[in-house]
Amino acid sequence: QVQPVESGGGSVQAGGSLRLSCATSGQTVSTNCMGWFRQAPGKEREGLAAIYIRGDSRYYADSVKGRFTISRDNAKNVVYLQMNSLKPEDTAMYFCAADFGISCRYRAPYDFNYRGQGTQVTVSS
């Protein structure tokens, strides 16, 4: 098993930036898929970004493409989500997720088997 723990959320004005971090513990060596998703009150979960073990393949949702960047440091077992040009509609609870194997490449981050407790991001206009 692997346990993700998020940090780095907070409040920012529109146009600002935040960087979320996700530290993982447990069976991290073969964690193939790492990703982020978010959920705002009254809205469906939205998969945002995912990165795979070698870091050479990434997925981004259209809503964040060009603004958010996912990266991972395998040596530190940390995944980052750099969020730029934030908008009020980015306000949500952000979750880090992880999974093993090959099939996770074909699933949304919110369908990964392991997730953290979430970190709140609030963007004011």
Side-chain angles (χ1 to χ4, degrees), residues 75-87:
K76 297 181 179 179
N77 296 323
V78 178
V79 175
Y80 303 99
L81 186 68
Q82 177 67 44
M83 305 187 296
N84 299 328
S85 302
L86 283 162
K87 306 174 182 179

Side-chain angles (χ1 to χ4, degrees), residues 32-50:
N32 189 21
C33 302
M34 298 290 299
W36 293 89
F37 68 95
R38 67 188 178 191
Q39 186 157 26
K43 295 186 178 180
E44 294 186 353
R45 294 173 302 177
E46 180 184 15
L48 301 176

